[in-house]
Amino acid sequence: MLRASYKPADGNVRDLTESRFPPFLNGRICGLRMLYFRRIRLRIQVCDAFMGTRTVRTFLVYAEEDYRYKDLLVNQARSAKLPVEFTDMPNKQPWVPRWKTACRSRVFECDGAIVFISAKTKQGAGVKFELECVGEIQIPVLGVYVDKCEKSAAPEELRDSRLIEWNWPQITSFLQSLGAR
């Protein structure tokens, strides 16, 4: 089943039926995606019978100093044999236009995002832009406090997101919920 909605200039969200999509879109999109068709931004969701077994792509947002938590998460997911693929932007260069384009493309391909929150997060080069991209695409976000820091260390972009201390069962349930979408 294909569901989509779009938000025109007047600000009202409108639903589209499958019959109003161009033929090349029907049945060829997996997960939740944003798409531009005839200058209208479409939010498209496909409900597929095999969604539970597909590989979930997750974008990781972190300050460069917190790379060890990324490695820890990847290793835990690998040992738990979760069907998840992580992607990130390891070299934070928000002043380079090519980096910004690559960042947007990678976030667009993902089903969700995990943000590692530490004392360095707000100062991290590129973190703010990565969070803006995640917000534009409107994918689910999980904020994870990776070290003992103040709750005010969370960036403003995460105010509507779920924030937790590092807890593997909760992280696993978030990743599994992305696969069920």
Side-chain angles (χ1 to χ4, degrees):
M1 182 173 101
L2 187 62
R3 288 181 288 166
S5 60
Y6 70 100
K7 192 172 184 180
D10 63 7
N12 297 325
V13 176
R14 295 193 176 95
D15 288 328
L16 295 175
T17 60
E18 190 169 341
S19 61
R20 293 188 57 196
F21 282 101
F24 68 88
L25 287 181
N26 291 334
R28 295 189 185 198
I29 301 168
C30 292
L32 182 65
R33 297 287 185 256
M34 301 302 279
L35 179 73
Y36 291 89
F37 178 68
R38 294 187 183 165
R39 288 183 270 170
I40 298 175
R41 184 175 176 187
L42 302 176
R43 180 183 168 105
I44 300 173
Q45 183 175 6
V46 176
C47 300
D48 190 356
F50 302 104
M51 289 290 253
T53 59
R54 73 178 179 89
T55 300
V56 174
R57 292 193 53 146
T58 306
F59 189 77
L60 300 177
V61 179
Y62 58 94
E64 287 179 336
E65 297 84 3
D66 298 330
Y67 68 91
R68 62 186 176 278
Y69 298 107
K70 174 212 165 214
D71 296 340
L72 178 64
L73 178 71
V74 170
N75 289 332
Q76 281 185 325
R78 189 178 299 134
S79 66
K81 297 185 175 153
L82 290 176
V84 64
E85 179 181 321
F86 296 105
T87 186
D88 65 311
M89 296 298 291
N91 299 326
K92 313 288 186 187
Q93 300 174 337
W95 55 89
V96 178
R98 188 179 300 157
W99 181 88
K100 287 184 174 185
T101 304
C103 181
R104 269 202 181 91
S105 298
R106 285 190 186 181
V107 172
F108 182 78
E109 295 168 353
C110 293
D111 301 304
I114 295 178
V115 181
F116 296 137
I117 304 168
S118 70
K120 303 281 186 186
T121 302
K122 282 189 176 180
Q123 304 149 5
V127 172
K128 183 171 178 64
F129 183 78
E130 290 173 336
L131 288 173
E132 286 175 14
C133 291
V134 167
E136 285 175 10
I137 309 273
Q138 297 177 353
I139 56 178
V141 178
L142 176 67
V144 179
Y145 289 99
V146 293
D147 59 5
K148 294 188 179 9
C149 61
E150 295 181 19
K151 300 298 180 192
S152 63
E156 184 64 28
E157 292 85 359
L158 295 177
R159 66 182 171 275
D160 297 331
S161 302
R162 185 171 152 210
L163 304 176
I164 63 169
E165 296 288 331
W166 185 282
N167 182 341
W168 181 243
Q170 288 182 337
I171 294 171
T172 304
S173 67
F174 174 75
L175 293 171
Q176 290 172 342
S177 72
L178 296 177
R181 294 182 75 215

